[in-house]
Amino acid sequence: MNKRRTLCSGILFWILVIIPTARLSAAVGCDLNDPDRDVKRLFPESTGYKTLYVSIAQKGGEDLLREVEARLGDRFQGLYETIDVPYTMYQVFRGQELIGYIHGVNQKGRYGGIQVFLALDLEGRIRALYFQKLTSQHAASLRDAKFGEQFVGLSLKDFYGYDVVSHKATGDSRAANIRNPAPEAEADFRAALRGAKKNLILVDEFLLGNAHLKFFKG
């Protein structure tokens, strides 16, 4: 009888404590570590910013998730890509004028999490790529300015031709010109490109009114 009571108590503990904790930690967002500093660094001309919080669950639920996955060309999976992930998007201002956006996403790399931030102009073109977190043996190569410069000027239109599963890009995709800075970093290089494409899709959906959806050929 005592053994049965102990067993039931153990099960109750897992139900009441462990499971709720798992649910609370399921949605993993991506915020700038120091927004005041980072916004100014990415947009030197800025005078302020506004923070918006959105999620696929709030904006469209399962239907929107399927649409985003179709545009990405891959299924969402893991803690970084649940339907209720809270995305933090920064609108950047110069005075009263909106001049751009900053947004980051969590992406699974070979050795751990990668946080891929993009600074974008009002048309969704990349001004800068920034790894806030990069758990990789080859982080120095991926953080090198020459690698990030390959993304400047690209938009979601350029990434639609990049297949995040096969890691091949069509000839008319400017993303096809992005080169891996280190052969040993192939897995994290691919993760960075997937993160960048996912980032651009979410910004297009939540901030740009799907301005680039017309280029999607899926």
Side-chain angles (χ1 to χ4, degrees):
M1 187 70 176
N2 290 337
K3 290 183 179 180
R4 183 177 300 175
R5 186 173 301 165
T6 301
L7 178 61
C8 291
S9 298
I11 294 173
L12 184 61
F13 172 84
W14 282 97
I15 293 175
L16 295 179
V17 179
I18 303 301
I19 292 178
T21 301
R23 287 175 178 171
L24 287 173
S25 63
V28 181
C30 192
D31 300 331
L32 287 169
N33 288 337
D34 188 338
D36 292 343
R37 177 199 66 194
D38 295 331
V39 170
K40 194 66 177 178
R41 178 173 55 81
L42 295 169
F43 285 86
E45 71 276 31
S46 67
T47 60
Y49 61 90
K50 180 179 179 181
T51 307
L52 304 176
Y53 301 96
V54 295
S55 73
I56 292 175
Q58 293 173 336
K59 294 295 184 177
E62 291 288 344
D63 289 342
L64 179 57
L65 177 60
R66 299 287 90 82
E67 292 174 14
V68 170
E69 289 177 331
R71 295 170 76 177
L72 179 63
D74 196 13
R75 297 295 298 270
F76 274 26
Q77 54 188 322
L79 294 179
Y80 298 143
E81 295 181 338
T82 62
I83 193 172
D84 57 341
V85 166
Y87 297 106
T88 305
M89 300 188 167
Y90 301 87
Q91 294 178 313
V92 184
F93 293 86
R94 180 175 56 213
Q96 299 298 315
E97 178 188 7
L98 179 65
I99 59 172
Y101 309 102
I102 300 172
H103 179 235
V105 297
N106 283 298
Q107 175 66 44
K108 183 179 179 181
R110 180 178 181 182
Y111 299 102
I114 298 175
Q115 291 183 340
V116 184
F117 274 85
L118 298 178
L120 306 162
D121 67 16
L122 296 180
E123 282 70 48
R125 291 185 293 261
I126 298 174
R127 288 178 42 135
L129 176 141
Y130 163 53
F131 293 108
Q132 179 168 267
K133 177 182 178 182
L134 181 54
T135 307
S136 171
Q137 293 180 338
H138 311 287
S141 297
L142 293 169
R143 290 187 187 276
D144 187 273
K146 291 182 179 179
F147 176 67
E149 288 169 359
Q150 298 181 82
F151 292 80
V152 176
L154 302 186
S155 69
L156 181 53
K157 177 183 178 181
D158 301 302
F159 274 84
Y160 274 141
Y162 171 68
D163 189 319
V164 300
V165 176
S166 68
H167 309 292
K168 296 179 180 179
T170 59
D172 60 348
S173 168
R174 292 173 63 193
N177 298 323
I178 300 175
R179 294 292 175 255
N180 181 2
E184 302 85 358
E186 183 66 20
D188 290 323
F189 168 70
R190 295 178 177 184
L193 264 64
R194 186 183 186 278
K197 183 176 182 180
K198 178 174 68 174
N199 194 327
L200 290 166
I201 291 169
L202 293 169
V203 169
D204 197 53
E205 177 67 41
F206 294 131
L207 293 177
L208 302 181
N210 285 319
H212 295 86
L213 185 58
K214 60 187 175 184
F215 302 114
F216 177 54
K217 300 177 181 180

